[in-house]
Amino acid sequence: MLMLTHTWILKEFLGSRALRPECLDLYAYNVSPDLLTFHQAITAEMTHGIDRFRELPDPHRKAAFVHFHLLVDDIAHYGDICEQPVRTFNPDSRGYTYVCGRSLVQPIRAFQKRFGREVSRSEAAYQSHIMIETAFDMVLNRNRENSGLISLFTESLGSMAQNGLEEFGRTIAWLTDIQVETAGEAFALGVNICTPERMNGLMNMKGRINLFIDKFGLDRNDPAVRAGAVELMEQGMELVQDCEAFLEPTMEKIRKSAFRSFL
C-alpha cells in the first residue's frame, strides 16, 4: 500500500494514542520501507526483505513500526502475514490489492496494446495492484474523517528529521544492511520529496494519473493515453469505495499476530 494509506492504518491501530506527541515519530518509522527507496543505493528488497517478527532490543524497539508496515503489505499483497518475506511474484495472489484489481487486468492489457505495448497477464496483474493502491490512497484522502492525513504524515517526517534522525539511522542499520549514514541521507531525501505541497498535488486525478502513465512508460502528453488512464483509475476507485473491507480484517490479523507495539 502507499504511504498515506500506511499512515491511516497505523493511526486507526493506535486509536486514542494516535495523536500523542510521543507517537509522532512512529509514523516515520512506519513509512520508512517505502520512503528510503527514494535513495538510489537502497532497494525495496533491502527495506522489505526482512523477518516480520525479529526480536527487538530496547534501543531499537521502534523498529516494531517498520515491521508493522511489512505486516500491512503482506496482508494487502498475499492475504495474510508472512513471517518470512515472499520473494516470488504470483499474479494470482489472494491479497486485497490483487483480488480487487483482477477485473482491471484485461482492460489494462487492452489499454497498453492500443498504444503499442504488449504486456503479459502477469505484468498487467502487477499494474492493476498499483492502480488499486493508488485509488485506495485517493479515496482515503477524500474521506472527510481523514482530512488531516497529509499533515500528520508530513509533520512526522519533519519531526524525525529535526529530532530523531540519529536514532532512526542506528535502528535501520541494525534492522537492515543499510549503513547509518545512508539511512540518514535517504530519509532527508524523502523529506524533501514528500512536502505538503507535493503530497496535496498528488491527491487528485491529474497528479496520480501522471505518476501512473510515467511509471508504465506511456506518453502523458497524449490525450488518448490520459483519457484511457483516467477511465481505468475511475474503475479502480469504484472497486475500493468500501475501505473497511480492507481495514477491519487487516487490524484483526495484526492484533492476533506476534506483533508488539512497544509503546
Side-chain angles (χ1 to χ4, degrees):
M1 303 300 280
L2 302 185
M3 287 187 284
L4 283 184
T5 298
H6 277 288
T7 300
W8 177 65
I9 292 172
L10 180 56
K11 179 175 178 286
E12 294 293 308
F13 187 85
L14 292 174
S16 62
R17 299 167 292 180
L19 300 180
R20 290 180 183 175
E22 65 269 24
C23 292
L24 189 58
D25 62 345
L26 303 184
Y27 296 98
Y29 279 93
N30 181 47
V31 299
S32 65
D34 293 340
L35 189 83
L36 294 177
T37 60
F38 288 134
H39 195 289
Q40 62 181 5
I42 299 176
T43 66
E45 174 62 24
M46 294 165 71
T47 60
H48 290 70
I50 59 178
D51 293 350
R52 275 46 176 157
F53 298 115
R54 184 175 176 183
E55 290 294 325
L56 304 175
D58 191 63
H60 304 306
R61 63 194 181 96
K62 291 177 182 177
F65 294 91
V66 179
H67 287 166
F68 188 92
H69 177 111
L70 302 180
L71 303 187
V72 171
D73 272 1
D74 282 349
I75 297 166
H77 296 159
Y78 313 116
D80 210 342
I81 292 169
C82 311
E83 292 193 14
Q84 298 295 321
V86 176
R87 303 186 189 280
T88 56
F89 177 70
N90 177 12
D92 297 312
S93 175
R94 298 303 302 169
Y96 172 88
T97 56
Y98 285 92
V99 171
C100 264
R102 203 143 287 158
S103 63
L104 296 176
V105 170
Q106 284 307 119
I108 285 174
R109 295 186 74 186
F111 168 70
Q112 295 274 27
K113 188 173 184 178
R114 285 194 350 244
F115 302 103
R117 297 188 75 243
E118 293 283 349
V119 298
S120 66
R121 173 178 169 273
S122 180
E123 185 178 354
Y126 178 79
Q127 293 181 10
S128 75
H129 112 274
I130 294 291
M131 182 157 279
I132 289 297
E133 290 184 345
T134 301
F136 199 94
D137 237 29
M138 290 178 64
V139 168
L140 271 183
N141 198 60
R142 288 184 179 183
N143 185 332
R144 286 183 295 177
E145 294 178 2
N146 298 293
S147 59
L149 206 54
I150 290 175
S151 295
L152 177 61
F153 170 75
T154 55
E155 185 181 350
S156 72
L157 300 188
S159 177
M160 174 75 82
Q162 289 184 2
N163 305 310
L165 205 50
E166 186 176 341
E167 178 189 25
F168 173 81
R170 290 196 302 267
T171 295
I172 293 299
W174 175 84
L175 188 64
T176 71
D177 293 328
I178 300 168
Q179 295 182 351
V180 174
E181 296 78 9
T182 306
E185 290 173 5
F187 193 88
L189 177 62
V191 171
N192 288 335
I193 291 173
C194 296
T195 62
E197 294 76 18
R198 185 172 188 271
M199 297 306 296
N200 277 299
L202 289 174
M203 285 299 108
N204 56 52
M205 186 66 78
K206 180 180 179 181
R208 288 301 189 179
I209 288 298
N210 284 345
L211 284 180
F212 182 80
I213 292 172
D214 292 347
K215 186 173 180 64
F216 299 113
L218 297 172
D219 180 6
R220 66 160 69 175
N221 295 315
D222 185 330
V225 168
R226 181 169 294 280
V230 168
E231 183 178 347
L232 287 171
M233 185 63 74
E234 288 175 344
Q235 292 179 47
M237 292 179 73
E238 282 298 316
L239 291 168
V240 300
Q241 286 299 317
D242 182 11
C243 297
E244 295 298 322
F246 176 71
L247 175 65
E248 288 304 324
T250 297
M251 295 292 188
E252 188 65 19
K253 287 177 186 292
I254 293 175
R255 290 190 185 104
K256 289 181 177 179
S257 77
F259 176 78
R260 298 293 182 269
S261 68
F262 294 92
L263 291 177

